[in-house]
Amino acid sequence: MASCYEWAKTKYAALGVDTEAAIKALQKYAISMHCWQGDDVRGFDTKEALSGGIQTTGNYPGRATTPEELMADMDKAFSLIGGKHKVNLHASYAIFEKGEFADRDKLEPKHFKRWVSYAKERGMGIDFNPTFFSHPMAASGLTLSSPDDEVRRFWVEHGKACIRISEYFANETGIPCVMNIWIPDGYKDTPADRMGPRARFAQSLDEILSIPYDKEKVLVCLESKVFGIGVESYTVGSAEFTMSYVAKNGLVPLMDNGHYHPTEVVSDKLSAMFLFNKKVALHVTRGVRWDSDHVVRLDDETREIAKELVASGRMGDVALALDFFDASINRVAAWVVGMRNMQRALLGALLMPHAAFKKLQDEGKFTDLLVMSEELKFYPECIVWEEFCNRCGVPADERWFTEVQQYEKNVLAARK
Ligand code: RNT
Ligand code: ZN
Protein backbone atom coordinates (compact mmCIF):
# COMPACT_ATOMS: atom_id res chain seq x y z
CA MET A 1 0.00 0.00 0.00
CA ALA A 2 1.28 3.40 -0.92
CA SER A 3 2.02 5.70 2.01
CA CYS A 4 -0.40 8.44 2.97
CA TYR A 5 2.11 10.94 1.63
CA GLU A 6 2.25 9.22 -1.77
CA TRP A 7 -1.53 9.40 -1.92
CA ALA A 8 -1.56 13.11 -1.00
CA LYS A 9 1.18 13.78 -3.53
CA THR A 10 -0.91 12.18 -6.31
CA LYS A 11 -4.01 14.07 -5.27
CA TYR A 12 -2.20 17.41 -5.44
CA ALA A 13 -0.41 16.43 -8.65
CA ALA A 14 -3.83 16.04 -10.30
CA LEU A 15 -4.27 19.78 -9.70
CA GLY A 16 -0.82 20.50 -11.03
CA VAL A 17 0.61 21.09 -7.55
CA ASP A 18 4.05 19.66 -6.75
CA THR A 19 4.18 18.72 -3.05
CA GLU A 20 7.93 18.10 -3.21
CA ALA A 21 8.55 21.63 -4.42
CA ALA A 22 6.25 22.94 -1.68
CA ILE A 23 8.15 21.08 1.05
CA LYS A 24 11.50 22.28 -0.29
CA ALA A 25 10.35 25.89 -0.50
CA LEU A 26 9.12 25.77 3.08
CA GLN A 27 12.32 24.13 4.32
CA LYS A 28 14.44 26.97 3.08
CA TYR A 29 12.16 29.81 4.11
CA ALA A 30 13.54 31.57 7.18
CA ILE A 31 11.11 33.29 9.51
CA SER A 32 12.55 35.81 11.93
CA MET A 33 11.64 34.75 15.46
CA HIS A 34 11.26 37.68 17.85
CA CYS A 35 13.26 37.24 21.05
CA TRP A 36 10.86 39.53 22.92
CA GLN A 37 8.12 36.90 23.29
CA GLY A 38 10.41 35.14 25.79
CA ASP A 39 10.57 37.87 28.43
CA ASP A 40 7.51 40.08 27.84
CA VAL A 41 9.55 42.72 25.93
CA ARG A 42 11.66 43.60 28.98
CA GLY A 43 15.19 43.30 27.63
CA PHE A 44 18.33 43.42 29.73
CA ASP A 45 19.53 47.01 29.64
CA THR A 46 17.09 48.89 31.87
CA LYS A 47 14.68 48.22 34.70
CA GLU A 48 12.14 50.52 33.06
CA ALA A 49 8.57 49.29 32.62
CA LEU A 50 7.48 48.55 29.08
CA SER A 51 6.38 51.82 27.46
CA GLY A 52 5.57 53.16 24.02
CA GLY A 53 1.91 52.22 23.91
CA ILE A 54 2.51 48.49 23.72
CA GLN A 55 1.62 46.14 26.52
CA THR A 56 2.06 42.61 27.74
CA THR A 57 -0.54 41.21 30.08
CA GLY A 58 -0.45 38.08 32.22
CA ASN A 59 2.01 36.65 34.70
CA TYR A 60 2.53 33.08 33.62
CA PRO A 61 5.49 31.72 35.58
CA GLY A 62 8.88 31.00 34.03
CA ARG A 63 9.73 34.23 32.20
CA ALA A 64 13.35 34.40 31.04
CA THR A 65 15.23 37.00 33.06
CA THR A 66 18.81 36.46 31.86
CA PRO A 67 20.44 36.05 28.44
CA GLU A 68 21.19 32.40 29.26
CA GLU A 69 17.57 31.69 30.07
CA LEU A 70 16.29 33.49 27.01
CA MET A 71 18.71 31.65 24.73
CA ALA A 72 17.79 28.30 26.28
CA ASP A 73 14.09 29.02 25.78
CA MET A 74 14.64 30.03 22.18
CA ASP A 75 16.59 26.82 21.61
CA LYS A 76 13.71 24.82 23.02
CA ALA A 77 11.32 26.57 20.65
CA PHE A 78 13.61 26.23 17.60
CA SER A 79 14.00 22.50 18.29
CA LEU A 80 10.26 22.08 17.71
CA ILE A 81 10.01 24.17 14.55
CA GLY A 82 11.10 22.71 11.20
CA GLY A 83 13.61 24.55 9.00
CA LYS A 84 16.28 27.16 9.69
CA HIS A 85 15.20 30.56 10.92
CA LYS A 86 16.54 33.94 12.07
CA VAL A 87 16.78 35.57 15.47
CA ASN A 88 15.11 38.95 15.80
CA LEU A 89 16.67 41.13 18.52
CA HIS A 90 15.90 44.51 20.02
CA ALA A 91 18.68 46.84 21.10
CA SER A 92 17.44 46.50 24.67
CA TYR A 93 18.76 42.92 24.61
CA ALA A 94 22.38 44.12 24.75
CA ILE A 95 24.43 41.88 27.03
CA PHE A 96 26.86 43.68 29.32
CA GLU A 97 29.76 42.00 31.02
CA LYS A 98 30.13 42.49 34.77
CA GLY A 99 30.25 46.17 35.71
CA GLU A 100 29.89 47.27 32.11
CA PHE A 101 27.05 49.49 30.88
CA ALA A 102 26.37 51.55 27.78
CA ASP A 103 23.29 53.66 27.29
CA ARG A 104 21.28 53.27 24.08
CA ASP A 105 23.15 56.09 22.32
CA LYS A 106 26.49 54.43 23.06
CA LEU A 107 25.75 50.81 22.18
CA GLU A 108 28.45 48.99 20.29
CA PRO A 109 28.79 45.69 18.43
CA LYS A 110 30.68 44.21 21.38
CA HIS A 111 27.53 44.38 23.49
CA PHE A 112 25.99 41.85 21.14
CA LYS A 113 28.87 39.44 20.70
CA ARG A 114 27.15 36.72 22.68
CA TRP A 115 24.18 36.94 20.38
CA VAL A 116 26.52 36.63 17.43
CA SER A 117 28.05 33.47 18.92
CA TYR A 118 24.55 32.16 19.54
CA ALA A 119 23.51 32.75 15.93
CA LYS A 120 26.75 31.53 14.39
CA GLU A 121 26.75 28.29 16.36
CA ARG A 122 23.29 27.60 14.98
CA GLY A 123 23.95 28.86 11.45
CA MET A 124 21.33 31.58 11.72
CA GLY A 125 21.12 35.22 10.71
CA ILE A 126 20.16 38.06 13.04
CA ASP A 127 17.64 40.85 12.48
CA PHE A 128 17.69 43.97 14.61
CA ASN A 129 15.50 46.73 16.03
CA PRO A 130 16.56 49.96 17.69
CA THR A 131 14.57 50.28 20.94
CA PHE A 132 12.87 53.67 21.11
CA PHE A 133 10.84 52.87 24.24
CA SER A 134 11.15 51.65 27.86
CA HIS A 135 13.79 54.28 28.58
CA PRO A 136 13.90 57.54 30.61
CA MET A 137 14.71 59.52 27.44
CA ALA A 138 11.40 58.27 25.98
CA ALA A 139 9.41 59.34 29.05
CA SER A 140 7.63 62.15 27.17
CA GLY A 141 6.38 59.61 24.62
CA LEU A 142 8.44 61.32 21.92
CA THR A 143 11.80 60.19 20.57
CA LEU A 144 12.94 60.95 17.02
CA SER A 145 10.14 63.50 16.65
CA SER A 146 10.78 65.27 19.95
CA PRO A 147 10.88 69.09 19.98
CA ASP A 148 13.54 68.76 22.70
CA ASP A 149 16.78 68.70 20.80
CA GLU A 150 18.67 66.80 23.48
CA VAL A 151 16.11 64.00 23.38
CA ARG A 152 16.03 63.90 19.60
CA ARG A 153 19.86 63.82 19.38
CA PHE A 154 20.04 60.97 21.89
CA TRP A 155 17.74 58.86 19.77
CA VAL A 156 19.46 59.79 16.52
CA GLU A 157 22.70 58.51 18.05
CA HIS A 158 20.85 55.35 19.06
CA GLY A 159 19.69 54.84 15.47
CA LYS A 160 23.23 55.27 14.15
CA ALA A 161 24.61 52.86 16.75
CA CYS A 162 22.04 50.30 15.64
CA ILE A 163 23.05 50.58 12.00
CA ARG A 164 26.64 49.82 13.00
CA ILE A 165 25.50 46.87 15.08
CA SER A 166 23.32 45.58 12.22
CA GLU A 167 26.27 45.70 9.85
CA TYR A 168 28.33 43.79 12.39
CA PHE A 169 25.62 41.10 12.52
CA ALA A 170 25.60 40.82 8.73
CA ASN A 171 29.39 40.64 8.54
CA GLU A 172 29.66 38.03 11.26
CA THR A 173 26.83 35.76 10.15
CA GLY A 174 27.21 36.31 6.41
CA ILE A 175 23.44 36.88 6.24
CA PRO A 176 21.94 40.36 5.63
CA CYS A 177 20.41 42.02 8.67
CA VAL A 178 16.92 43.50 8.48
CA MET A 179 16.94 46.56 10.73
CA ASN A 180 13.49 47.85 11.57
CA ILE A 181 12.79 51.33 12.85
CA TRP A 182 9.57 51.75 14.78
CA ILE A 183 8.96 54.75 17.04
CA PRO A 184 6.10 55.03 19.51
CA ASP A 185 5.78 58.80 19.07
CA GLY A 186 2.33 60.28 19.02
CA TYR A 187 -0.38 62.10 20.94
CA LYS A 188 -3.31 61.05 23.05
CA ASP A 189 -5.48 63.90 21.90
CA THR A 190 -5.94 65.86 18.71
CA PRO A 191 -2.63 67.60 18.06
CA ALA A 192 -2.34 71.31 17.39
CA ASP A 193 0.60 70.61 15.09
CA ARG A 194 0.67 67.44 13.05
CA MET A 195 3.34 68.57 10.64
CA GLY A 196 6.09 69.56 13.09
CA PRO A 197 6.63 66.12 14.64
CA ARG A 198 6.58 64.43 11.24
CA ALA A 199 9.08 66.93 9.86
CA ARG A 200 11.37 66.28 12.84
CA PHE A 201 11.01 62.52 12.40
CA ALA A 202 12.04 62.86 8.75
CA GLN A 203 14.98 65.04 9.74
CA SER A 204 16.07 62.51 12.37
CA LEU A 205 15.86 59.64 9.89
CA ASP A 206 17.95 61.63 7.39
CA GLU A 207 20.59 62.09 10.09
CA ILE A 208 20.59 58.42 11.10
CA LEU A 209 20.85 57.25 7.50
CA SER A 210 23.63 59.71 6.70
CA ILE A 211 26.26 57.40 8.17
CA PRO A 212 27.93 55.12 5.65
CA TYR A 213 26.73 51.53 5.66
CA ASP A 214 26.49 48.67 3.20
CA LYS A 215 22.95 48.69 1.83
CA GLU A 216 23.25 45.10 0.64
CA LYS A 217 24.01 43.96 4.17
CA VAL A 218 21.75 46.19 6.23
CA LEU A 219 18.17 46.45 5.02
CA VAL A 220 16.65 49.38 6.87
CA CYS A 221 12.86 49.18 7.28
CA LEU A 222 10.31 51.66 8.58
CA GLU A 223 7.25 50.30 10.41
CA SER A 224 4.04 52.29 10.35
CA LYS A 225 1.29 52.36 12.93
CA VAL A 226 -2.15 53.86 13.18
CA PHE A 227 -2.44 54.26 16.96
CA GLY A 228 -1.20 52.93 20.30
CA ILE A 229 -2.31 52.95 23.92
CA GLY A 230 -1.96 56.58 25.03
CA VAL A 231 -1.40 57.78 21.48
CA GLU A 232 -4.91 57.18 20.21
CA SER A 233 -5.32 60.35 18.17
CA TYR A 234 -2.11 60.66 16.24
CA THR A 235 1.01 58.65 15.51
CA VAL A 236 3.97 60.34 13.88
CA GLY A 237 4.98 57.28 11.85
CA SER A 238 1.69 56.83 10.03
CA ALA A 239 1.28 54.63 6.96
CA GLU A 240 1.52 57.58 4.58
CA PHE A 241 4.61 58.94 6.30
CA THR A 242 6.51 55.66 6.30
CA MET A 243 5.51 54.63 2.78
CA SER A 244 6.53 57.98 1.36
CA TYR A 245 9.80 58.16 3.28
CA VAL A 246 10.69 54.62 2.29
CA ALA A 247 9.90 55.23 -1.38
CA LYS A 248 11.95 58.43 -1.47
CA ASN A 249 14.96 56.97 0.33
CA GLY A 250 15.15 53.43 -0.97
CA LEU A 251 14.30 51.75 2.32
CA VAL A 252 12.06 48.74 2.92
CA PRO A 253 8.46 49.23 4.10
CA LEU A 254 7.45 47.14 7.09
CA MET A 255 3.79 46.30 7.55
CA ASP A 256 2.57 44.96 10.87
CA ASN A 257 -0.92 43.54 10.41
CA GLY A 258 -1.95 44.88 13.83
CA HIS A 259 -1.24 48.43 12.73
CA TYR A 260 -4.21 49.28 10.56
CA HIS A 261 -7.86 50.06 11.09
CA PRO A 262 -9.62 46.83 12.04
CA THR A 263 -11.34 46.36 8.68
CA GLU A 264 -8.17 46.95 6.66
CA VAL A 265 -6.14 43.86 5.80
CA VAL A 266 -2.47 43.59 4.95
CA SER A 267 -3.22 40.72 2.57
CA ASP A 268 -4.95 43.22 0.28
CA LYS A 269 -2.13 45.75 0.54
CA LEU A 270 0.74 43.45 -0.38
CA SER A 271 0.31 43.30 -4.16
CA ALA A 272 0.37 47.09 -4.40
CA MET A 273 3.50 47.19 -2.26
CA PHE A 274 5.18 44.49 -4.37
CA LEU A 275 4.60 46.50 -7.54
CA PHE A 276 6.54 49.46 -6.22
CA ASN A 277 9.04 47.95 -3.78
CA LYS A 278 11.80 45.41 -4.41
CA LYS A 279 11.45 44.12 -0.87
CA VAL A 280 8.70 44.23 1.72
CA ALA A 281 9.02 43.35 5.40
CA LEU A 282 6.23 41.99 7.56
CA HIS A 283 5.40 41.69 11.22
CA VAL A 284 2.81 38.96 11.39
CA THR A 285 0.72 39.22 14.52
CA ARG A 286 -2.91 38.90 15.58
CA GLY A 287 -4.91 41.87 16.70
CA VAL A 288 -7.97 41.09 18.75
CA ARG A 289 -10.18 44.17 18.40
CA TRP A 290 -7.03 46.31 18.41
CA ASP A 291 -3.25 45.92 18.05
CA SER A 292 -3.17 43.47 20.94
CA ASP A 293 -0.25 41.34 19.72
CA HIS A 294 -1.88 37.96 20.35
CA VAL A 295 -0.15 34.74 19.26
CA VAL A 296 -0.52 34.05 15.54
CA ARG A 297 -3.26 31.54 14.81
CA LEU A 298 -3.86 29.67 11.59
CA ASP A 299 -6.69 32.06 10.78
CA ASP A 300 -8.07 33.34 7.50
CA GLU A 301 -5.94 36.48 7.37
CA THR A 302 -2.68 34.67 8.13
CA ARG A 303 -3.51 32.24 5.31
CA GLU A 304 -4.46 35.08 3.00
CA ILE A 305 -1.17 36.90 3.69
CA ALA A 306 0.71 33.68 2.92
CA LYS A 307 -1.33 33.22 -0.24
CA GLU A 308 -0.36 36.69 -1.45
CA LEU A 309 3.34 35.98 -0.89
CA VAL A 310 3.21 32.77 -2.88
CA ALA A 311 0.70 33.71 -5.59
CA SER A 312 2.68 36.84 -6.42
CA GLY A 313 5.89 34.85 -6.79
CA ARG A 314 7.47 37.30 -4.35
CA MET A 315 7.94 35.07 -1.31
CA GLY A 316 11.69 35.50 -1.64
CA ASP A 317 11.39 39.28 -1.48
CA VAL A 318 9.61 39.30 1.85
CA ALA A 319 11.44 39.56 5.16
CA LEU A 320 8.92 37.87 7.39
CA ALA A 321 9.06 38.29 11.15
CA LEU A 322 6.56 37.51 13.87
CA ASP A 323 5.59 40.12 16.44
CA PHE A 324 3.48 39.15 19.42
CA PHE A 325 3.92 38.99 23.17
CA ASP A 326 1.66 37.00 25.42
CA ALA A 327 2.61 36.72 29.10
CA SER A 328 -0.50 34.76 30.08
CA ILE A 329 0.57 31.40 28.64
CA ASN A 330 3.72 29.30 28.42
CA ARG A 331 6.04 31.60 26.47
CA VAL A 332 7.93 28.84 24.68
CA ALA A 333 4.65 27.31 23.54
CA ALA A 334 3.56 30.75 22.29
CA TRP A 335 6.61 30.92 20.00
CA VAL A 336 6.12 27.40 18.72
CA VAL A 337 2.41 27.88 18.03
CA GLY A 338 3.01 31.15 16.17
CA MET A 339 5.97 29.91 14.14
CA ARG A 340 4.32 26.65 13.18
CA ASN A 341 1.11 28.42 12.24
CA MET A 342 3.00 30.78 9.98
CA GLN A 343 4.65 27.78 8.35
CA ARG A 344 1.33 25.99 7.98
CA ALA A 345 -0.18 29.06 6.34
CA LEU A 346 2.77 29.18 3.93
CA LEU A 347 2.49 25.48 3.20
CA GLY A 348 -1.22 25.85 2.47
CA ALA A 349 -0.36 28.65 0.04
CA LEU A 350 2.40 26.59 -1.58
CA LEU A 351 -0.12 23.82 -2.16
CA MET A 352 -2.51 25.95 -4.21
CA PRO A 353 -2.72 25.82 -8.01
CA HIS A 354 -2.15 29.56 -8.40
CA ALA A 355 -1.70 29.59 -12.17
CA ALA A 356 -4.92 27.66 -12.71
CA PHE A 357 -6.79 29.91 -10.28
CA LYS A 358 -5.54 33.07 -11.98
CA LYS A 359 -6.67 31.66 -15.31
CA LEU A 360 -10.17 31.05 -13.93
CA GLN A 361 -10.27 34.64 -12.70
CA ASP A 362 -9.11 36.06 -16.03
CA GLU A 363 -11.65 33.96 -17.91
CA GLY A 364 -14.39 35.16 -15.59
CA LYS A 365 -15.12 31.64 -14.32
CA PHE A 366 -15.96 32.75 -10.81
CA THR A 367 -18.18 29.78 -9.96
CA ASP A 368 -15.35 27.38 -10.76
CA LEU A 369 -12.98 29.50 -8.71
CA LEU A 370 -15.26 29.51 -5.68
CA VAL A 371 -15.91 25.77 -5.92
CA MET A 372 -12.25 24.86 -6.28
CA SER A 373 -10.93 27.18 -3.59
CA GLU A 374 -13.47 25.77 -1.15
CA GLU A 375 -12.77 22.15 -2.11
CA LEU A 376 -9.07 22.78 -1.68
CA LYS A 377 -9.60 23.59 1.98
CA PHE A 378 -10.21 19.91 2.68
CA TYR A 379 -7.30 18.64 0.65
CA PRO A 380 -4.73 16.69 2.69
CA GLU A 381 -2.42 19.57 3.67
CA CYS A 382 -1.93 17.91 7.03
CA ILE A 383 -0.27 14.91 5.39
CA VAL A 384 2.18 17.11 3.52
CA TRP A 385 2.80 18.96 6.79
CA GLU A 386 3.55 15.65 8.47
CA GLU A 387 6.04 14.81 5.73
CA PHE A 388 7.67 18.25 6.09
CA CYS A 389 8.03 17.83 9.85
CA ASN A 390 9.39 14.28 9.52
CA ARG A 391 12.04 15.45 7.09
CA CYS A 392 12.98 18.30 9.44
CA GLY A 393 13.09 15.97 12.43
CA VAL A 394 10.40 17.76 14.46
CA PRO A 395 7.09 16.40 15.78
CA ALA A 396 4.27 16.89 13.28
CA ASP A 397 1.45 17.01 15.79
CA GLU A 398 0.75 18.07 19.36
CA ARG A 399 3.46 15.80 20.68
CA TRP A 400 5.77 18.83 20.57
CA PHE A 401 3.79 20.20 23.49
CA THR A 402 4.76 17.25 25.69
CA GLU A 403 8.36 18.41 25.30
CA VAL A 404 7.44 21.96 26.29
CA GLN A 405 5.54 20.64 29.30
CA GLN A 406 8.62 18.67 30.35
CA TYR A 407 10.74 21.77 29.89
CA GLU A 408 8.32 23.76 31.99
CA LYS A 409 8.51 21.17 34.74
CA ASN A 410 12.28 20.76 34.67
CA VAL A 411 13.49 24.26 33.79
CA LEU A 412 10.87 27.01 33.86
CA ALA A 413 9.28 25.99 37.16
CA ALA A 414 12.61 26.41 38.95
CA ARG A 415 12.86 30.09 37.95
CA LYS A 416 12.00 32.80 40.43
C1 RNT B 1 4.79 48.10 18.12
C2 RNT B 1 5.46 47.50 16.95
C3 RNT B 1 6.85 47.01 17.19
C4 RNT B 1 7.01 46.28 18.50
C5 RNT B 1 8.30 45.50 18.65
C6 RNT B 1 8.56 45.13 20.06
O1 RNT B 1 3.45 48.33 17.93
O2 RNT B 1 4.67 46.47 16.43
O3 RNT B 1 7.26 46.24 16.12
O4 RNT B 1 5.96 45.38 18.72
O5 RNT B 1 9.31 46.19 18.06
ZN1 ZN C 1 5.50 45.28 14.88
Side-chain angles (χ1 to χ4, degrees):
M1 200 184 87
S3 70
C4 284
Y5 175 64
E6 286 306 320
W7 167 76
K9 189 173 168 183
T10 315
K11 200 163 161 67
Y12 278 108
L15 294 182
V17 172
D18 179 353
T19 56
E20 285 297 308
I23 291 174
K24 284 200 188 90
L26 193 60
Q27 269 172 330
K28 60 172 208 258
Y29 197 70
I31 299 171
S32 196
M33 193 174 90
H34 55 312
C35 74
W36 53 91
Q37 164 56 42
D39 76 332
D40 314 338
V41 209
R42 295 199 193 201
F44 306 128
D45 73 336
T46 67
K47 296 264 171 291
E48 293 283 311
L50 179 59
S51 74
I54 52 178
Q55 201 149 56
T56 52
T57 55
N59 52 3
Y60 199 85
R63 175 175 68 85
T65 57
T66 64
E68 294 73 25
E69 289 177 353
L70 187 59
M71 288 175 187
D73 293 358
M74 290 170 75
D75 276 340
K76 186 73 246 168
F78 280 129
S79 76
L80 300 167
I81 302 159
K84 188 151 292 235
H85 300 284
K86 285 182 103 178
V87 181
N88 203 1
L89 297 179
H90 247 283
S92 53
Y93 290 80
I95 304 176
F96 302 119
E97 299 310 327
K98 262 209 167 61
E100 186 188 38
F101 174 73
D103 210 345
R104 299 255 172 97
D105 59 333
K106 301 263 166 16
L107 285 172
E108 288 176 51
K110 69 173 183 196
H111 304 124
F112 292 87
K113 66 172 190 290
R114 278 166 66 191
W115 282 113
V116 163
S117 313
Y118 177 89
K120 276 167 110 174
E121 280 159 20
R122 288 152 187 79
M124 296 189 215
I126 307 178
D127 293 331
F128 200 47
N129 304 260
T131 312
F132 296 101
F133 52 84
S134 306
H135 189 282
M137 286 297 253
S140 69
L142 302 173
T143 63
L144 292 178
S145 76
S146 175
D148 178 336
D149 213 46
E150 193 193 329
V151 171
R152 202 180 65 78
R153 301 243 117 257
F154 176 86
W155 291 112
V156 165
E157 288 311 311
H158 178 54
K160 291 179 181 172
C162 287
I163 291 192
R164 291 189 284 266
I165 295 162
S166 298
E167 196 161 52
Y168 159 72
F169 288 151
N171 285 334
E172 289 289 328
T173 62
I175 299 169
C177 173
V178 175
M179 189 193 102
N180 176 45
I181 297 177
W182 169 71
I183 60 162
D185 302 31
Y187 289 106
K188 185 178 181 72
D189 224 325
T190 315
D193 174 19
R194 288 187 165 91
M195 183 84 92
R198 289 187 173 135
R200 288 190 292 270
F201 185 24
Q203 168 69 28
S204 299
L205 288 170
D206 290 349
E207 290 170 21
I208 292 172
L209 298 167
S210 71
I211 66 164
Y213 68 97
D214 186 335
K215 303 202 167 50
E216 300 292 311
K217 291 180 181 168
V218 181
L219 307 173
V220 177
C221 307
L222 260 193
E223 178 178 10
S224 68
K225 189 163 177 173
V226 66
F227 86 103
I229 303 168
V231 291
E232 290 85 358
S233 301
Y234 165 88
T235 57
V236 179
S238 61
E240 293 72 16
F241 177 97
T242 57
M243 252 199 282
S244 309
Y245 191 92
V246 156
K248 191 169 171 210
N249 296 282
L251 306 185
V252 179
L254 188 145
M255 312 179 92
D256 178 313
N257 61 302
H259 289 191
Y260 297 86
H261 291 288
T263 56
E264 284 184 88
V265 279
V266 164
S267 54
D268 186 58
K269 299 176 187 297
L270 279 167
S271 44
M273 299 305 279
F274 286 146
L275 283 174
F276 302 102
N277 292 275
K278 273 221 263 322
K279 284 194 182 300
V280 174
L282 288 180
H283 271 182
V284 179
T285 187
R286 178 166 53 101
V288 177
R289 305 197 187 281
W290 59 288
D291 176 35
S292 55
D293 296 291
H294 280 59
V295 178
V296 171
R297 279 186 185 252
L298 186 56
D299 54 19
D300 285 352
E301 175 58 3
T302 309
R303 281 184 175 273
E304 199 63 22
I305 288 173
K307 188 187 104 187
E308 287 300 309
L309 305 195
V310 177
S312 63
R314 299 287 296 271
M315 196 176 169
D317 298 326
V318 175
L320 201 164
L322 302 188
D323 183 15
F324 52 77
F325 20 99
D326 192 336
S328 74
I329 55 175
N330 180 303
R331 295 170 183 79
V332 177
W335 266 321
V336 180
V337 169
M339 291 286 283
R340 285 168 65 107
N341 278 340
M342 191 66 240
Q343 289 188 309
R344 284 173 168 163
L346 289 165
L347 182 63
L350 288 160
L351 292 172
M352 291 176 81
H354 296 291
F357 279 9
K358 280 178 202 173
K359 191 159 174 277
L360 290 177
Q361 175 176 316
D362 291 345
E363 289 169 351
K365 295 184 175 161
F366 301 115
T367 315
D368 308 54
L369 187 54
L370 176 67
V371 169
M372 265 326 289
S373 20
E374 289 305 299
E375 285 303 320
L376 198 64
K377 288 182 179 167
F378 260 46
Y379 264 56
E381 290 181 327
C382 60
I383 293 174
V384 185
W385 169 257
E386 177 132 357
E387 183 68 17
F388 165 76
C389 288
N390 289 343
R391 290 189 198 177
C392 295
V394 300
D397 59 19
E398 63 279 2
R399 271 167 295 180
W400 67 262
F401 187 46
T402 316
E403 287 197 36
V404 174
Q405 285 171 314
Q406 281 298 331
Y407 186 73
E408 176 166 327
K409 213 165 120 221
N410 300 337
V411 180
L412 302 180
R415 290 182 188 164
K416 290 280 159 293

